[in-house]
């Protein structure tokens, strides 16, 4: 019985939790019935003079590093999402000239997997590619199409989606990690850009058989803390 107890405690401590809290910032792009269809095309907020006014996406990131190869991850992101037909390479979209903007808030939860062991308690350089997936819940401005314009209706809509993220992270100093990632979101809706409405006062347009996507291109900086696994004391 004593050996069994020691064995169970060894498993528990060998996967002892290490936490991360951090900030994330970057840009976004939309893939749907309005604007460019390039998969990765980070956009920028421009002021009336056409100068860059700031990054479009920012938020908070929390992780529980359950082992050197996987982590549970939660994030909250705020973004200004936009689609402009003038940015498209499709001459039909350019001629149409639709534009939409939406303020978006996303919460995501899921699991991050590393391709290499990323044990923060071991000395030396640590880096690895990683992937992340799970579930996202997104709120965005409710839009609709009428009289050749995409209108903001003054309320919010929401939808769930699935994230697909590929990134690369690197440990800097002892307790900080910097990473860069590109993450697409497949949404269970086709109305982020206002192309589909269940209200008879508004008109639908575009391909009603394809749901919307949006993509984040992000830089993350996180601080790690928590107790060390007991094997690090030997």
């Amino acid at each position: 019985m004593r050996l069994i107890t020691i064995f169970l405690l060894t498993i528990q401590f060998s996967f002892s939790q290490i936490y991360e809290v951090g900030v994330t910032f970057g840009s976004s792009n939309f893939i749907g019935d309005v604007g460019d269809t390039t998969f990765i095309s980070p956009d920028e907020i421009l002021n009336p003079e056409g100068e860059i006014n700031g990054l479009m996406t920012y938020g908070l990131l929390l992780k529980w590093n359950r082992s050197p190869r996987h982590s549970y991850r939660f994030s909250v992101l705020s973004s200004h999402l936009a689609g402009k037909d003038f940015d498209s390479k499709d001459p039909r979209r350019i001629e149409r000239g639709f534009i939409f903007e939406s303020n978006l808030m996303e919460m995501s939860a899921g699991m991050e997997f590393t391709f290499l062991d990323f044990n923060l308690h071991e000395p030396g350089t640590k880096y690895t590619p990683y992937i992340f997936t799970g579930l996202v819940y997104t709120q965005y401005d409710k839009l609709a199409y009428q009289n050749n314009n995409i209108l903001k209706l003054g309320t919010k809509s929401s939808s769930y989606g699935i994230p697909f993220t590929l990134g690369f992270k690197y440990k800097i100093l002892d307790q900080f990690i910097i990473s860069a990632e590109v993450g697409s979101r497949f949404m269970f809706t086709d109305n982020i850009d206002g192309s589909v409405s269940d209200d008879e006062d508004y008109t639908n347009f575009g391909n009603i058989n394809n749901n919307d996507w949006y993509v984040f291109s992000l830089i993350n900086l996180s601080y790690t803390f928590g107790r060390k696994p007991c094997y690090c004391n030997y």
Side-chain angles (χ1 to χ4, degrees), residues 115 129-132 164-168 180-183:
F115 288 86
Y130 63 88
I131 57 175
F132 166 77
F164 302 95
T165 299
L166 176 64
F168 186 89
E181 64 182 43
V182 175

Side-chain angles (χ1 to χ4, degrees), residues 30-35 85 93 96 190 193 195 205-207 212:
F30 175 76
I31 305 170
D33 293 303
V34 179
D85 279 347
R93 291 197 178 193
R96 185 181 64 180
D190 189 26
D193 54 11
S195 62
F205 67 91
N207 187 346
D212 292 333

Side-chain angles (χ1 to χ4, degrees), residues 7 66 83 87 104 113-114 118 131 166 194-195 201 209 213 218:
F7 175 73
R66 191 66 181 86
D87 292 336
L104 178 150
F113 300 90
T114 63
F118 198 70
I131 57 175
L166 176 64
S195 62
D201 293 334
N209 296 315
W213 295 70
L218 301 173

Side-chain angles (χ1 to χ4, degrees), residues 111-124:
M111 187 168 288
E112 181 179 294
F113 300 90
T114 63
F115 288 86
L116 306 172
D117 278 350
F118 198 70
N119 190 338
L120 299 175
H121 299 296
E122 294 179 349

Side-chain angles (χ1 to χ4, degrees), residues 5-234:
T5 302
I6 294 173
F7 175 73
L8 292 175
L9 288 175
T10 301
I11 294 176
Q12 174 67 26
F13 290 137
S14 68
F15 291 94
S16 180
Q17 61 269 31
I18 291 299
Y19 302 103
E20 291 181 39
V21 58
V23 294
T24 182
F25 55 92
S27 193
S28 63
N29 63 280
F30 175 76
I31 305 170
D33 293 303
V34 179
D36 195 2
T37 56
T38 303
F39 185 75
I40 302 174
S41 180
D43 205 353
E44 297 164 336
I45 297 176
L46 302 180
N47 61 23
E49 288 73 34
E51 300 171 343
I52 296 176
N53 198 35
L55 295 169
M56 298 188 69
T57 304
Y58 57 90
L60 297 175
L61 180 69
L62 300 173
K63 289 185 189 179
W64 174 21
N65 296 317
R66 191 66 181 86
S67 81
R69 298 298 294 268
H70 78 285
S71 306
Y72 298 110
R73 166 171 159 172
F74 174 79
S75 66
V76 178
L77 296 174
S78 177
S79 182
H80 179 88
L81 194 65
K84 295 165 282 187
D85 279 347
F86 299 111
D87 292 336
S88 174
K89 298 177 179 63
D90 186 340
R92 294 168 298 180
R93 291 197 178 193
I94 295 173
E95 182 179 0
R96 185 181 64 180
F98 286 175
I99 296 174
F100 86 91
E101 294 180 278
S102 181
N103 294 307
L104 178 150
M105 189 278 291
E106 177 196 274
M107 293 185 293
S108 71
M111 187 168 288
E112 181 179 294
F113 300 90
T114 63
F115 288 86
L116 306 172
D117 278 350
F118 198 70
N119 190 338
L120 299 175
H121 299 296
E122 294 179 349
T125 301
K126 295 294 175 184
Y127 57 86
T128 180
Y130 63 88
I131 57 175
F132 166 77
T133 190
L135 186 68
V136 300
Y137 171 77
T138 304
Q139 284 190 336
Y140 48 90
D141 293 331
K142 189 172 184 178
L143 307 176
Y145 175 69
Q146 186 181 62
N147 299 327
N148 210 37
N149 288 301
I150 298 176
L151 309 173
K152 284 189 178 182
L153 302 183
T155 58
K156 293 288 186 179
S157 291
S158 62
S159 179
Y160 291 94
I162 300 176
F164 302 95
T165 299
L166 176 64
F168 186 89
K169 59 184 176 180
Y170 186 92
K171 185 180 78 170
I172 56 176
L173 304 177
D174 288 332
Q175 292 180 285
F176 289 92
I177 297 172
I178 189 168
S179 61
E181 64 182 43
V182 175
S184 62
R185 274 65 169 165
F186 171 74
M187 303 305 296
F188 303 145
T189 181
D190 189 26
N191 197 40
I192 292 179
D193 54 11
S195 62
V196 176
S197 177
D198 53 10
D199 191 324
E200 295 181 356
D201 293 334
Y202 303 105
T203 305
N204 297 339
F205 67 91
N207 187 346
I208 62 174
N209 296 315
N210 288 339
N211 286 0
D212 292 333
W213 295 70
Y214 60 90
V215 180
F216 288 143
S217 302
L218 301 173
I219 299 294
N220 309 316
L221 179 64
S222 60
Y223 172 78
T224 66
F225 62 97
R227 64 186 182 185
K228 294 183 178 180
C230 67
Y231 60 73
C232 293
N233 297 325
Y234 293 95

